[in-house]
C-alpha cells in the first residue's frame, strides 16, 4: 500500500507547475497578431515605397525634362529645367481662351507626404502603448499568475486530501466533509474571481482599443481620399506648360512665353500611390473586424478553466454586454497562451473528462485529481 501512496504523491507533485519567474513579464505580448500586422503594413509600406522613390531620384538625376528652344545653350536648357521644377505651375487656356494657371506642387511634396502618412499611422500604436499597454501588462501578469496558481492550489488540495484520507479511520466521514466543502464553495479562489468580475465592469481598456481602431480607420480613409484627390486633379497630367519669363527674363524677346515640360518620375508616383491606396483599402475591413471582435465573448479560453472551481460563477455572469475590459483581456490572454502554462494541462484534463464514462463524477480538476490519486474506490458518486 505504501508503494501506491508514494506513486500517487509523485504523480501529484509532477502535476504542479514550475514557477515562471521574471521571464513571463518580459515575454508578454501587448499587441494582437492582427494589430501587429496592421502596424507593420501601414507604417512600413509607405516608408519602403518612399525610399524607392528617393533612390530613383538620386540615381536618375533631374525629375523633369523641358523642351527648350533650339537656340538655347546647354546652360540655358539646364536653367529652364531648374526654373520649371522650382515653380511647377501649369499655364494653359480654358474653353473660352482665357489664361489659367494650375499648381502641380503636390507632385513635388508627394514623397514627403507619404512620410507624414507613415508617422500618422504610427500614432494609434503610440496611443495604445502609452495609454493602455502598462495597465494591460499588469492585468495580464496578475491574471496569468493567478490562473497558474489556482491550478497549483487545486493539485496541492488533492495532495492534502490524500494525506487526510490516508490518516482517517472513517472514509465515509471524510467524503461527507468533502461534499460539504463543495456545497459551501470552500474550493473557490475569490481573489481571482472578484478581480475578473471587477474587470467586467471597467471600460478603460476597451475604450482605448476602440479609439485606437477608430483613429487608424480614420487615417486610412483620409489617406485614401488624399490619393484619390491627387489622381483626379494632378496624376493624369504628366505634361505641362511652363513659363520662365519672369524677373530679368520678362523683357527678353527670344524666350517663348510657354515651354512644354514632361515629368520623368510621373509613372513612378502613379504606381506608388495606387499601391498604397489599394493596400490601405484592403486593410479597412481588417480594422473593422478587429473592432467587431469585442461584440462577442471569447468563451473558448475560459471554458477550459471552468475545470477550476472558481469559474462556474463567471460563466453565468458572462451574459452582459461584452464591451468591457474583461473581453479585451480575454483576447490578449488568447494571444499570450504560450505564457499560460496551466492551459495545456487543463485542456488535456478537459479532453479526458469528455472521454470518461462517468462524467458526473468529474466537475473540477480537484475531482479529476482525486480519481488519478486513487481515491475513486471509496468516493461516492457526486450528486448534482
Amino acid at each position: 500500500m505504501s508503494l501506491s501512496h508514494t506513486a500517487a504523491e509523485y504523480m501529484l507533485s509532477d502535476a504542479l507547475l514550475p514557477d515562471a519567474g521574471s521571464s513571463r513579464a518580459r515575454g508578454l505580448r501587448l499587441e494582437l497578431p492582427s494589430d501587429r500586422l496592421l502596424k507593420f503594413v501601414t507604417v512600413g509600406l509607405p516608408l519602403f515605397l518612399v525610399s524607392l522613390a528617393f533612390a530613383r531620384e538620386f540615381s536618375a538625376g533631374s525629375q523633369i525634362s523641358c523642351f527648350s528652344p533650339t537656340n538655347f545653350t546647354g546652360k540655358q536648357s539646364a536653367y529652364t529645367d531648374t526654373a520649371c521644377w522650382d515653380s511647377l505651375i501649369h499655364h494653359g487656356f480654358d474653353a473660352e481662351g482665357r489664361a489659367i494657371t494650375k499648381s502641380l506642387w503636390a507632385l513635388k511634396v508627394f514623397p514627403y507626404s507619404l512620410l507624414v502618412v507613415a508617422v500618422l499611422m504610427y500614432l494609434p500604436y503610440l496611443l495604445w502603448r502609452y495609454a493602455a499597454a502598462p495597465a494591460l501588462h499588469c492585468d495580464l501578469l496578475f491574471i496569468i499568475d493567478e490562473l497558474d496558481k489556482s491550478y497549483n492550489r487545486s493539485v496541492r488540495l488533492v495532495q492534502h486530501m490524500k494525506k487526510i484520507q490516508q490518516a482517517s479511520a472513517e472514509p465515509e466521514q471524510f467524503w461527507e466533509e468533502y461534499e460539504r466543502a463543495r456545497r459551501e464553495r470552500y474550493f473557490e479562489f475569490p481573489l481571482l474571481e472578484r478581480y475578473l468580475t471587477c474587470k467586467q465592469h471597467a471600460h478603460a481598456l476597451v475604450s482605448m482599443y476602440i479609439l485606437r481602431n477608430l483613429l487608424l480607420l480614420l487615417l486610412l480613409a483620409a489617406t485614401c481620399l488624399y490619393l484619390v484627390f491627387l489622381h483626379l486633379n494632378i496624376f493624369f497630367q504628366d505634361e505641362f506648360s511652363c513659363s520662365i519669363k519672369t524677373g530679368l527674363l520678362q523683357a527678353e524677346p527670344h524666350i517663348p512665353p510657354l515651354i512644354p515640360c514632361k515629368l520623368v518620375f510621373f509613372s513612378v508616383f502613379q504606381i506608388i500611390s495606387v499601391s498604397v491606396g489599394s493596400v490601405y483599402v484592403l486593410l479597412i475591413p481588417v480594422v473593422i473586424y478587429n473592432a467587431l471582435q469585442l461584440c462577442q465573448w471569447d468563451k473558448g479560453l475560459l471554458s477550459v478553466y471552468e475545470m477550476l472551481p472558481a469559474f462556474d460563477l463567471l460563466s453565468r455572469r458572462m451574459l452582459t454586454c461584452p464591451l468591457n475590459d474583461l473581453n479585451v483581456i480575454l483576447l490578449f490572454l488568447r494571444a499570450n497562451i504560450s505564457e499560460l502554462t496551466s492551459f495545456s494541462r487543463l485542456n488535456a484534463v478537459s479532453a479526458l473528462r469528455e472521454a470518461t464514462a462517468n462524467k458526473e463524477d468529474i466537475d473540477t480538476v480537484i475531482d479529476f485529481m482525486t480519481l488519478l490519486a486513487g481515491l475513486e474506490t471509496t468516493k461516492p458518486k457526486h450528486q448534482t
Side-chain angles (χ1 to χ4, degrees):
M1 180 65 69
S2 61
L3 181 60
S4 62
H5 291 169
T6 304
E9 291 179 1
Y10 283 161
M11 181 273 297
L12 292 175
S13 298
D14 291 340
L16 290 172
L17 299 176
D19 188 11
S22 60
S23 60
R24 173 177 291 167
R26 295 191 298 267
L28 288 179
R29 300 180 180 90
L30 301 180
E31 277 191 295
L32 297 178
S34 56
D35 293 331
R36 194 179 302 114
L37 176 64
L38 284 172
K39 181 186 70 174
F40 177 77
V41 176
T42 55
V43 177
L45 180 64
L47 291 178
F48 173 72
L49 294 178
V50 166
S51 63
L52 293 181
F54 281 138
R56 187 189 184 281
E57 179 180 351
F58 293 145
S59 61
S62 178
Q63 301 298 304
I64 193 172
S65 178
C66 295
F67 302 96
S68 304
T70 56
N71 59 344
F72 273 27
T73 64
K75 291 185 178 181
Q76 289 175 328
S77 298
Y79 172 81
T80 301
D81 292 346
T82 304
C84 291
W85 173 247
D86 291 339
S87 64
L88 272 185
I89 297 178
H90 171 61
H91 296 264
F93 300 92
D94 58 9
E96 300 178 357
R98 292 176 298 185
I100 58 173
T101 58
K102 180 180 181 181
S103 176
L104 303 178
W105 257 78
L107 291 173
K108 181 180 289 188
V109 301
F110 177 69
Y112 305 97
S113 65
L114 287 185
L115 292 178
V116 175
V117 168
V119 173
L120 292 178
M121 290 299 174
Y122 199 70
L123 291 181
Y125 167 73
L126 291 179
L127 175 67
W128 178 259
R129 179 178 179 181
Y130 292 103
L136 177 64
H137 183 270
C138 295
D139 291 336
L140 289 176
L141 195 62
F142 173 77
I143 292 174
I144 291 176
D145 189 56
E146 284 298 316
L147 287 175
D148 287 347
K149 286 182 179 178
S150 299
Y151 173 82
N152 279 346
R153 291 190 195 109
S154 299
V155 177
R156 290 193 178 99
L157 179 60
V158 177
Q159 289 177 327
H160 183 68
M161 290 170 56
K162 180 72 177 177
K163 293 179 182 178
I164 294 179
Q165 192 267 346
Q166 293 172 2
S168 176
E170 300 179 1
E172 292 297 330
Q173 183 179 0
F174 166 76
W175 287 112
E176 289 178 0
E177 179 69 19
Y178 169 73
E179 293 298 327
R180 185 178 69 86
R182 286 179 58 93
R183 289 193 302 269
E184 298 181 7
R185 317 188 72 85
Y186 288 159
F187 297 155
E188 292 183 359
F189 312 106
L191 178 61
L192 176 61
E193 178 187 348
R194 292 178 182 177
Y195 189 83
L196 295 178
T197 305
C198 177
K199 287 300 175 180
Q200 195 173 1
H201 297 90
H203 301 88
L205 290 177
V206 69
S207 300
M208 294 305 302
Y209 190 76
I210 292 177
L211 180 60
R212 170 184 178 171
N213 285 276
L214 288 178
L215 180 59
L216 183 58
L217 188 64
L218 178 63
L219 292 175
L220 288 174
T223 303
C224 292
L225 292 177
Y226 168 69
L227 295 176
V228 169
F229 169 78
L230 290 182
H231 272 274
L232 293 180
N233 290 272
I234 298 174
F235 275 2
F236 287 108
Q237 187 170 354
D238 59 339
E239 297 181 356
F240 68 100
S241 299
C242 173
S243 175
I244 61 172
K245 297 193 66 171
T246 58
L248 297 176
L249 301 179
Q250 189 171 5
E252 294 293 332
H254 64 283
I255 296 179
L258 297 177
I259 297 177
C261 296
K262 184 176 179 62
L263 299 172
V264 180
F265 61 90
F266 187 78
S267 59
V268 176
F269 280 6
Q270 277 188 323
I271 295 175
I272 291 177
S273 62
V274 171
S275 300
V276 173
S278 301
V279 173
Y280 279 9
V281 169
L282 294 177
L283 290 180
I284 290 178
V286 180
V287 179
I288 297 176
Y289 170 77
N290 285 347
L292 292 180
Q293 287 186 102
L294 301 176
C295 295
Q296 60 179 359
W297 286 104
D298 183 14
K299 296 185 179 181
L301 182 67
L302 290 187
S303 63
V304 175
Y305 277 91
E306 286 182 352
M307 288 291 293
L308 293 178
F311 280 84
D312 53 350
L313 285 179
L314 186 62
S315 62
R316 292 199 298 268
R317 292 178 180 177
M318 290 175 61
L319 300 176
T320 58
C321 177
L323 293 177
N324 53 61
D325 287 358
L326 178 59
N327 202 11
V328 177
I329 292 174
L330 291 179
L331 292 178
F332 282 89
L333 281 177
R334 176 74 66 179
N336 291 276
I337 200 68
S338 59
E339 302 294 331
L340 202 54
T341 314
S342 58
F343 177 79
S344 58
R345 305 278 182 96
L346 287 176
N347 198 22
V349 171
S350 298
L352 292 176
R353 176 191 179 186
E354 296 298 325
T356 304
N358 298 324
K359 297 181 182 179
E360 64 273 7
D361 291 340
I362 304 176
D363 289 336
T364 67
V365 70
I366 295 178
D367 299 322
F368 193 84
M369 287 297 174
T370 55
L371 296 179
L372 292 180
L375 303 184
E376 74 278 11
T377 56
T378 57
K379 177 186 175 182
K381 285 189 176 183
H382 173 60
Q383 301 295 329
T384 58

